[in-house]
Amino acid sequence: GRPTQETAYDINNLYTVKGMVNRFKENEHYSVILSTNNVNDRGFGRGGRGGNGMTQSSMGGFSLAKNLGEEVEKNKYQFQIGGGLRFFHNDSDVQSQTASETFLEKGSRNSFSNSRSQSNNESLRVNADLRLEWRPDTMTDIIFRPSVSHSKSNNASNNLSATFDQDPYETILDKYADEGYEPLDSAWTDDSRINYNSRQSAGGNESTSVNGRLQINRKFNSEGRNLTLTLNGGYSTSESFSNSTSFTRFYRNDSTSTINRYNTTPSKTYNYNTRIMWSEPLWTATFLQLSYQFSYRYNNSDRSTYNLPDVLDNWSLPEWILPDDYERYRSEELSRFATYENMDHDITAQLRLIREKYNMNVGFTLLPQHSKMNYQYMGYNIDTVRTVFNFTPTMNFRYRWSKQTSLRINYRGRSSQPSMTDLLPITDDSDPLNITKGNPGLKPTFNNSLSVQFQDFKVERLQNISANLRLNNTLNSIVNKITYNEETGGRESQPTNLDGWWSNWSAGAGIAYNTALPNQRYKVSSSTNANYNYQEGYVRTKTDDNSFPLAATRSVTLSERLTGTYQNDWLEITLQGSLNYNRARNNLQPTANRDTYIFSYGPSTNIQLPWWNIKISSDIGMNSRRGFSEPEFNTDELIWNAQVSKSFLAQNAATVSVQFYDILGQQSNVSRIVNATMRSDTWYNTVN
């Protein structure tokens, strides 16, 4: 079941406070913002709540904008100055429970993994920026934007996990229900269990960065000929540490593995780039844009790893204690030193056509890249250089029948290179459950993305229709070849390229329609979407030859949302219903095929009491899930929210509101991920 929750959030202790003060004078503007809450509010001005876990967040800031000198053009002054100072603080408690399944080849049992974790993360960030703009004349604009940022964070986590060769929630749990066991209990000794792992970790990071941007734009005439020069630069340093302890028991060979490790990683990065762009009018409403950019980036990191004495017993982890003499436990093999230098050139040409009925941009980008890397890890000392050439074509087209009816077609091709560390012939077995290998033979990938959008709006009917089509595919897509060890429950992964145009592709379509009925008191709307994903991968359990069975997962997602609304001068009532259906099929293990449904329905209302300037809002809906792997994820939750607000002062300039979320306390958070080789269902705690 779900983890026992010792939450610090009580219904009587939930709060959110926000405030903003603005002062406007002629050519001046000053603002002060303060906000604090512990209900997962995403921030001032954005509203709503989101994110997993329970988060206390605070933010504050001061900003200014001021015009100086003469007015060069309307509302554009010779000098402008602006900037701000902001701070952000977050403290989160995230609990999760995951049930996943790895699809193995025919003749082998699928692998099932269950985990339960809790993490605490605290961060503090302060940043400041300044914007200086100078217009010496109507044809020249110079902008300088320096900024500085400092952040500090700390984190800690606990995790329990286990691997089985049967689904413990479908075939095993019933046998132990009377004994009160659940799959992550250490006392579980069923033959289906392959391994058990318990981990603790703690860490922190402190970083500082300084950046600057200078942009100079010069117009040469009113026909569109202009030159833009941009210079960027930045420098950052960081210091991080982490400590982790792990105990793993392997049941099939009756062995254990204990890890007690401490890492420190100082790093520094600096970068700069310069870009020059020229726009030239060729003839009426036709422009040629040419640009060149050179970028340089340097990164240096030196991770020291210390293998500390084993202080763990079989099933429990003690509080972290770093020995005074930890320096003598430094592991030369596991410590890692790396420097990266990247020099990139970006050459872009684009033709722009602006016509009465249509606009079109068509062009390409050439990306020569030169990289150097020095890498010391696992006994390897590698000094390597790589030179690659990337190509990116683009096309954007828009046709307008009228201001209300238009068609857009966008295409983008993008090539990308594998990471240099993936190309290294290194086997990293520091984690016995997740062994990784590099592949020097990796090839670059190329992604194609095409989208078509249609929009039509009829003002007199308050009617809107929009439709879209999407298509994506990746050539030489990089996936991991996974070798699953049936004895330990661990896996070895190595990146490789897939062949063909259609080894990794997706397609989607959507249509939305809303309209008012003739008397305009009634409105209806509908939103329909369909998506198809095809993903390939490699997975095997046998290692007696070099063959890898090809795993392929086809998933279809269909969604529909339908609403109907009645509205008059003081009352608005809406009925809504939605359905999200996901169908996943795997070629290796048909028994792993799943169909999940998420559906909701219910009313909402807004009542305006004009004589008191009071507004009452409420919505209630039944949210249901079906088809998820763990029975506790298949729930019916009745969610009721309400709000009362009152406006006052001249022209209702101030509003006080009281908001109630999930009054019945039934909301939870469940998500699903499906790819070629596995599916995973996860539950998170949340603020109700």
Side-chain angles (χ1 to χ4, degrees):
R2 298 175 182 170
T4 301
Q5 189 172 311
E6 296 180 1
T7 175
Y9 293 79
D10 181 83
I11 188 64
N12 296 315
N13 296 326
L14 295 176
Y15 62 87
T16 177
V17 179
K18 299 180 183 182
M20 174 186 286
V21 177
N22 291 287
R23 185 186 183 190
F24 298 93
K25 295 177 63 179
E26 185 178 2
N27 296 328
E28 293 182 10
H29 175 210
Y30 303 91
S31 293
V32 177
I33 295 176
L34 292 172
S35 172
T36 183
N37 74 87
N38 66 349
V39 294
N40 290 12
D41 196 308
R42 292 190 295 264
F44 198 101
R46 297 170 64 183
R49 298 178 300 138
N52 299 318
M54 299 179 174
T55 301
Q56 186 279 329
S57 61
S58 300
M59 65 86 66
F62 168 78
S63 64
L64 64 89
K66 189 171 185 177
N67 298 321
L68 301 171
E70 299 178 357
E71 191 174 17
V72 179
E73 294 181 75
K74 186 177 181 180
N75 297 325
K76 293 184 178 181
Y77 289 78
Q78 190 174 9
F79 296 99
Q80 287 185 318
I81 183 172
L85 175 67
R86 293 163 294 277
F87 76 88
F88 305 87
H89 177 267
N90 288 279
D91 191 355
S92 66
D93 170 26
V94 180
Q95 300 178 25
S96 67
Q97 179 175 321
T98 299
S100 62
E101 178 179 5
T102 300
F103 310 137
L104 303 178
E105 71 262 40
K106 295 177 181 178
S108 299
R109 288 184 174 182
N110 280 1
S111 168
F112 297 85
S113 177
N114 293 76
S115 65
R116 184 171 65 216
S117 67
Q118 179 172 1
S119 64
N120 299 95
N121 301 276
E122 184 178 12
S123 64
L124 175 65
R125 178 166 59 94
V126 180
N127 63 51
D129 63 10
L130 188 64
R131 185 180 189 276
L132 304 172
E133 184 169 1
W134 176 36
R135 291 187 177 91
D137 53 55
T138 59
M139 307 294 282
T140 307
D141 192 11
I142 301 173
I143 302 173
F144 178 54
R145 302 193 69 168
S147 63
V148 61
S149 177
H150 181 78
S151 64
K152 189 173 183 179
S153 64
N154 292 285
N155 61 80
S157 66
N158 292 275
N159 182 277
L160 296 176
S161 65
T163 303
F164 306 84
D165 62 11
Q166 299 180 56
D167 188 342
Y169 287 100
E170 288 188 354
T171 60
I172 305 171
L173 190 59
D174 290 344
K175 296 192 296 185
Y176 295 89
D178 294 339
E179 301 177 42
Y181 291 157
E182 62 101 6
L184 292 178
D185 285 337
S186 59
W188 184 299
T189 57
D190 188 89
D191 291 340
S192 64
R193 172 176 273 185
I194 300 173
N195 64 44
Y196 172 89
N197 177 263
S198 176
R199 299 194 307 274
Q200 279 187 336
S201 67
N205 176 273
E206 187 167 4
S207 64
T208 302
S209 65
V210 179
N211 296 278
R213 176 184 177 90
L214 175 65
Q215 179 177 301
I216 304 172
N217 186 72
R218 173 68 181 179
K219 297 178 183 179
F220 292 94
N221 59 31
S222 60
E223 304 299 323
R225 178 180 296 139
N226 63 71
L227 177 69
T228 301
L229 175 66
T230 305
L231 301 173
N232 291 284
Y235 176 79
S236 64
T237 61
S238 71
E239 182 84 29
S240 64
F241 74 92
S242 66
N243 45 61
S244 60
T245 56
S246 171
F247 172 81
T248 307
R249 177 176 289 280
F250 304 99
Y251 290 90
R252 299 291 165 86
N253 58 18
D254 194 23
S255 62
T256 62
S257 171
T258 301
I259 296 175
N260 191 3
R261 193 165 289 163
Y262 178 67
N263 295 299
T264 61
T265 310
S267 68
K268 65 179 180 180
T269 300
Y270 61 85
N271 65 86
Y272 63 86
N273 69 70
T274 178
R275 183 182 185 92
I276 185 169
M277 184 172 67
W278 176 267
S279 179
E280 176 67 25
L282 299 180
W283 52 84
T284 303
T286 303
F287 305 88
L288 176 65
Q289 287 186 339
L290 300 174
S291 70
Y292 169 75
Q293 177 175 290
F294 174 76
S295 303
Y296 177 84
R297 180 181 177 86
Y298 173 87
N299 175 262
N300 174 300
S301 65
D302 188 1
R303 188 187 74 180
S304 296
T305 299
Y306 304 88
N307 268 332
L308 302 178
D310 296 339
V311 294
L312 307 177
D313 59 32
N314 283 350
W315 300 107
S316 64
L317 295 168
E319 293 290 330
W320 177 265
I321 300 176
L322 186 64
D324 293 334
D325 60 346
Y326 73 91
E327 288 282 357
R328 71 186 183 96
Y329 296 107
R330 189 178 189 275
S331 169
E332 293 296 331
E333 183 181 32
L334 294 178
S335 296
R336 181 170 61 197
F337 172 79
T339 62
Y340 300 91
E341 284 186 279
N342 297 286
M343 288 162 281
D344 300 339
H345 304 267
D346 182 318
I347 305 164
T348 299
Q350 190 172 71
L351 183 67
R352 297 180 57 207
L353 287 79
I354 302 174
R355 300 293 185 267
E356 181 180 355
K357 288 291 187 179
Y358 68 89
N359 298 339
M360 185 172 69
N361 297 343
V362 60
F364 62 87
T365 300
L366 306 179
L367 297 165
Q369 298 176 322
H370 183 75
S371 304
K372 297 180 181 180
M373 180 179 68
N374 181 268
Y375 195 78
Q376 300 172 25
Y377 185 51
M378 302 292 292
Y380 288 84
N381 190 343
I382 297 173
D383 198 344
T384 184
V385 176
R386 182 177 69 174
T387 300
V388 298
F389 185 87
N390 292 327
F391 174 72
T392 300
T394 60
M395 191 276 289
N396 301 311
F397 176 81
R398 181 185 181 188
Y399 188 87
R400 290 174 295 182
W401 287 271
S402 66
K403 292 183 178 180
Q404 291 79 33
T405 306
S406 64
L407 175 71
R408 291 176 179 266
I409 302 175
N410 298 320
Y411 166 78
R412 180 178 176 86
R414 184 176 64 255
S415 62
S416 58
Q417 304 294 324
S419 70
M420 295 187 74
T421 52
D422 281 345
L423 293 168
L424 299 179
I426 294 177
T427 299
D428 186 349
D429 57 2
S430 56
D431 181 353
L433 293 180
N434 294 283
I435 300 171
T436 60
K437 297 176 65 175
N439 181 2
L442 284 178
K443 296 179 290 186
T445 66
F446 192 90
N447 176 261
N448 295 285
S449 176
L450 175 67
S451 66
V452 181
Q453 296 175 308
F454 173 79
Q455 186 83 25
D456 180 48
F457 179 63
K458 293 181 171 57
V459 179
E460 67 279 2
R461 302 184 193 173
L462 297 179
Q463 182 184 90
N464 183 67
I465 300 175
S466 62
N468 65 81
L469 295 172
R470 306 171 300 278
L471 181 64
N472 288 274
N473 81 316
T474 303
L475 285 72
N476 294 324
S477 178
I478 296 177
V479 300
N480 280 318
K481 281 185 173 179
I482 298 173
T483 301
Y484 177 74
N485 189 322
E486 293 181 295
E487 184 174 341
T488 65
R491 64 190 62 203
E492 179 184 280
S493 61
Q494 182 182 36
T496 190
N497 292 104
L498 292 171
D499 295 326
W501 281 76
W502 306 109
S503 56
N504 187 341
W505 67 279
S506 64
I511 184 169
Y513 174 79
N514 58 76
T515 186
L517 299 183
N519 62 8
Q520 296 193 359
R521 289 193 180 275
Y522 296 91
K523 298 177 183 178
V524 294
S525 65
S526 171
S527 176
T528 306
N529 284 279
N531 290 280
Y532 178 86
N533 284 275
Y534 178 83
Q535 295 176 296
E536 292 182 350
Y538 296 101
V539 63
R540 69 175 180 180
T541 57
K542 301 177 179 61
T543 58
D544 51 357
D545 57 39
N546 291 323
S547 65
F548 270 87
L550 181 66
T553 293
R554 299 168 175 84
S555 61
V556 176
T557 301
L558 303 175
S559 65
E560 168 65 28
R561 180 178 177 85
L562 183 65
T563 63
T565 301
Y566 168 80
Q567 184 177 23
N568 60 27
D569 295 337
W570 60 276
L571 175 66
E572 179 181 277
I573 299 176
T574 299
L575 296 176
Q576 69 84 25
S578 66
L579 172 66
N580 187 289
Y581 165 71
N582 181 268
R583 173 187 175 92
R585 296 294 182 264
N586 183 267
N587 68 316
L588 295 183
Q589 291 286 357
T591 57
N593 296 339
R594 297 276 178 175
D595 295 87
T596 61
Y597 302 83
I598 300 176
F599 51 94
S600 66
Y601 50 90
S604 63
T605 184
N606 293 305
I607 303 173
Q608 184 75 46
L609 305 179
W611 51 92
W612 290 321
N613 281 333
I614 291 178
K615 184 177 181 180
I616 301 173
S617 304
S618 182
D619 62 85
I620 186 167
M622 177 64 75
N623 296 344
S624 302
R625 304 183 188 93
R626 298 292 185 270
F628 286 86
S629 55
E630 185 179 339
E632 289 191 7
F633 293 173
N634 298 308
T635 59
D636 294 304
E637 301 168 354
L638 187 62
I639 310 300
W640 180 23
N641 306 311
Q643 174 178 296
V644 179
S645 61
K646 177 176 174 56
S647 299
F648 56 98
L649 297 184
Q651 299 181 340
N652 295 323
T655 300
V656 174
S657 66
V658 181
Q659 300 170 332
F660 303 89
Y661 292 103
D662 188 20
I663 297 170
L664 304 178
Q666 296 190 18
Q667 182 175 344
S668 65
N669 192 3
V670 175
S671 62
R672 160 163 288 203
I673 297 174
V674 180
N675 60 32
T677 58
M678 59 88 69
R679 61 94 189 146
S680 178
D681 298 334
T682 302
W683 168 89
Y684 290 97
N685 64 329
T686 187
V687 176
N688 55 33

